[in-house]
Amino acid sequence: MFYRTEFSSPLGKIILASDGEALSGLWFEGQKYFEAGIPEPMKENPELSIFKDTKDWLNRYFAGEKPDIHLPLRPLGSHFRQQVWKLLCEIPYGEMTTYGELGRKLEALEGKKTSARAVGGAVGHNPISILIPCHRVIGANGSLTGYAGGLERKIQLLKLEGISLEKLVQGK
């Protein structure tokens, strides 16, 4: 069974999903791929400890802190996507990387060629926004490419983390 609850953030309503133990989803309401991968209707349960811990993390994050709380995450997806999402978790707070760089890291891990486009697809389908920091990925030319939660939210998240956007291109 999967559970859900809501969180009001400065960037809009966030929906949290869990299997009862770990976080399985975190989406801005109505974002692209909203609730994708959750195999069944979710039951409202705001009292789960994972939800309380995630809300605490989010409150700290949106207050400008770098939360040092490690939450159990269980995103649902293919092996390839899981590998990309693990790499996203390695991007330090306040830093960025490119799709191409993620592809090179994945090639080193998997031993096979990986395109930036394939990596971009996995990044775009990340079901746990913010905590799995897909907003920290940019195009090779410094462009702020799409974000499932919306480009304006991506910009706000990067600014919140103290990333200077002056040299970046606001792309697609």
Side-chain angles (χ1 to χ4, degrees):
M1 174 159 278
F2 284 84
Y3 304 93
R4 64 168 276 155
T5 193
E6 296 177 358
F7 175 81
S8 293
S9 85
L11 301 180
K13 187 186 298 183
I14 291 176
I15 308 301
L16 305 175
S18 173
D19 60 8
E21 297 174 8
L23 195 66
S24 302
L26 188 158
W27 306 272
F28 287 100
E29 185 176 46
Q31 84 172 44
K32 197 172 187 182
Y33 311 117
F34 183 68
E35 297 183 357
I38 303 298
E40 60 194 44
M42 295 182 282
K43 181 179 176 184
E44 188 72 30
N45 188 350
E47 299 304 315
L48 286 177
S49 61
I50 184 61
F51 288 155
K52 290 178 180 179
D53 292 344
T54 301
K55 288 177 181 182
D56 181 43
W57 191 99
L58 289 167
N59 279 322
R60 290 171 186 237
Y61 178 83
F62 284 114
E65 297 179 28
K66 180 182 170 186
D68 191 25
I69 301 169
H70 300 284
L71 300 168
L73 306 179
R74 195 170 295 134
L76 304 174
S78 68
H79 171 76
F80 177 77
R81 287 182 178 175
Q82 294 284 341
Q83 292 301 104
V84 171
W85 299 335
K86 283 180 187 176
L87 290 175
L88 292 176
C89 290
E90 295 174 7
I91 306 168
Y93 179 95
E95 295 185 26
M96 296 180 295
T97 193
T98 65
Y99 296 97
E101 182 59 30
L102 289 173
R104 287 186 285 282
K105 287 182 178 182
L106 194 57
E107 285 175 24
L109 289 172
E110 299 284 314
K112 57 185 173 184
K113 185 85 172 135
T114 304
S115 73
R117 184 176 298 270
V119 169
V123 170
H125 283 83
N126 168 23
I128 304 179
S129 296
I130 305 171
L131 291 165
I132 298 179
C134 54
H135 62 279
R136 297 180 189 150
V137 183
I138 60 172
N141 64 353
S143 62
L144 288 176
T145 57
Y147 177 64
L151 191 57
E152 186 55 40
R153 284 189 180 121
K154 180 174 186 163
I155 291 168
Q156 294 304 313
L157 293 170
L158 293 172
K159 284 181 178 178
L160 182 67
E161 293 185 17
I163 295 173
S164 173
L165 304 178
E166 293 172 6
K167 295 180 183 177
L168 299 178
V169 178
Q170 292 187 22
K172 309 175 209 178

